């Protein structure tokens, strides 16, 4: 029998939904404690926003980022509290898709769970401010090669922001540039182009105005050496030291998310089992497209924890 080697992965912005975490709060002491601590630290009821909405407020970048990190880390806390996490070995790596990297900070021991939520809140506020100054757009492009799309981006002035899986890339930039690139991608044979519901050109230089504020926040926080290595979005390689993690978070704001390479590198290091922890199942879908031979589990609510088996 093949030895199981595990990685925990955490979803990014867009995974939020009204009602997220309510069952975890009801059924697990550790999840209830974390939501209550987050409410106190943030100075408003994040839990009420997650559980009751309204949806428009929850989708707001300023709120959604801390909400997703809080939900993800609450789900992880509940998974550990239930004892079901012991059915798998301790993770060899953690990783998160874009915002999900902030959930991974908590899971890796680099930050406390509450610190990770507070940092995600600051990131969301800074990104919302940058997007208000220079509105941007993002679009998922399905079924076109990276080479062709790179050439289109070069001509139109936008960027590949997310390298998600074979045949799925996300472009980002000024709205006009993304519109032009989307049209050219369709003309060049893309199967599908889907405009994403975001207000900014995330993971591009359009987010540069947010960099100074994020750097100040990073420098003010006490980062620990990772207990579990974090596979960085920008390099797809593991990082562990406070200095390297801070550099990654700073670069990630304006740089592309190398998700496919991150998964491939973890698999090359022996990982054969991924646990997606947090709202939705987006990452599970991407991982299946990257490599169909690995096992993938989802921990996103009380039922998924209760029904978890290996």
């Amino acid at each position: 029998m093949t030895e199981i080697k595990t990685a925990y992965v955490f979803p990014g912005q867009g995974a939020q939904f009204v009602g997220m975490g309510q069952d975890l709060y009801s059924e697990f002491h550790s999840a209830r404690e974390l939501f209550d601590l987050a409410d106190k630290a943030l100075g408003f009821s994040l839990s009420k926003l997650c559980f009751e909405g309204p949806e428009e407020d929850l989708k707001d970048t300023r709120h959604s980022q801390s909400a997703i990190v809080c939900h993800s880390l609450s789900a992880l806390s509940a998974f550990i509290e239930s004892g079901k996490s012991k059915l798998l070995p301790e993770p060899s790596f953690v990783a998160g898709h874009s915002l999900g990297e902030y959930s991974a900070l908590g899971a890796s021991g680099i930050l406390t769970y509450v610190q990770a939520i507070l940092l995600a809140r600051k990131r969301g506020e800074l990104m919302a401010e940058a997007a208000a100054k220079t509105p941007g757009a993002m679009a998922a492009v399905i079924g076109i090669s990276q080479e062709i799309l790179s050439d289109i981006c070069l001509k139109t002035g936008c960027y590949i922001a997310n390298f998600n899986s074979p045949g799925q890339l996300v472009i980002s930039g000024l709205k006009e540039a993304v519109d032009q690139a989307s049209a050219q991608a369709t003309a060049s044979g893309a199967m599908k182009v889907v405009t994403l519901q975001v207000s900014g050109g995330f993971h591009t230089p359009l987010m540069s105005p947010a960099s100074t504020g994020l750097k100040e926040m990073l420098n003010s926080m006490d980062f620990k050496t990772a207990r579990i290595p974090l596979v960085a979005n920008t390099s797809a390689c593991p990082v562990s030291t406070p200095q390297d993690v801070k550099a990654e978070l700073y670069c990630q704001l304006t740089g592309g998310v190398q998700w496919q390479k991150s998964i491939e590198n973890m698999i090359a290091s022996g990982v054969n089992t991924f646990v997606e922890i947090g709202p939705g199942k987006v990452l599970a879908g991407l991982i299946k497209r990257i490599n169909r031979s690995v096992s993938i589990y989802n921990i996103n609510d009380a039922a998924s924890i209760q029904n978890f088996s290996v």
Side-chain angles (χ1 to χ4, degrees), residues 14-249:
Q16 71 281 343
F17 64 92
V18 174
M20 59 192 271
Q22 193 157 15
D23 58 340
L24 296 169
Y25 188 94
S26 299
E27 296 188 36
F28 294 96
H29 170 76
S30 58
R32 186 160 56 251
E33 186 176 53
L34 182 54
F35 269 107
D36 289 347
L37 282 169
D39 288 351
K40 189 175 179 183
L42 291 166
F44 75 97
S45 185
L46 181 69
S47 56
K48 189 172 190 289
L49 183 60
C50 288
F51 304 161
E52 300 173 21
E55 187 179 2
E56 277 306 306
D57 288 353
L58 185 59
K59 276 165 58 179
D60 187 318
T61 298
R62 291 170 298 176
H63 301 311
S64 61
Q65 299 203 13
S66 50
I68 290 165
V69 172
C70 187
H71 177 279
S72 298
L73 292 175
S74 295
L76 175 59
S77 299
F79 186 43
I80 293 166
E81 181 187 332
S82 72
K84 293 290 185 81
S85 65
K86 290 180 180 172
L87 295 174
L88 291 170
E90 276 278 300
S92 299
F93 302 101
V94 295
H97 189 284
S98 185
L99 164 72
E101 196 154 76
Y102 287 69
S103 303
L105 295 176
S108 66
I110 292 166
L111 294 179
T112 67
Y113 287 6
V114 172
Q115 280 179 314
I117 293 165
L118 288 170
L119 186 57
R121 172 71 182 183
K122 183 66 174 177
R123 179 183 188 262
E125 289 172 346
L126 290 165
M127 288 172 70
E129 286 169 20
K133 283 178 191 166
T134 314
M138 299 179 78
V141 183
I142 317 292
I144 195 172
S145 75
Q146 188 179 317
E147 291 73 23
I148 292 171
L149 193 58
S150 294
D151 189 49
I152 289 169
C153 286
L154 207 60
K155 290 173 182 169
T156 56
C158 66
Y159 304 82
I160 301 179
N162 298 347
F163 301 80
N164 281 339
S165 67
Q168 194 195 114
L169 301 160
V170 175
I171 56 173
S172 182
L174 293 169
K175 187 178 184 308
E176 313 83 69
V178 171
D179 288 345
Q180 284 176 25
S182 297
Q184 288 187 29
T186 301
S188 298
M191 287 166 51
K192 197 175 181 183
V193 179
V194 182
T195 302
L196 303 184
Q197 297 303 306
V198 295
S199 59
F202 301 149
H203 297 292
T204 76
L206 295 186
M207 288 293 108
S208 294
S211 296
T212 304
L214 183 66
K215 195 170 195 175
E216 286 172 2
M217 183 79 169
L218 292 172
N219 289 337
S220 74
M221 296 183 82
D222 179 26
F223 278 51
K224 307 291 186 195
T225 298
R227 185 174 54 82
I228 305 163
L230 169 76
V231 176
N233 280 181
T234 57
S235 67
C237 295
V239 292
S240 295
T241 68
Q243 184 181 357
D244 287 347
V245 172
K246 288 181 182 184
E248 155 62 13
L249 297 173

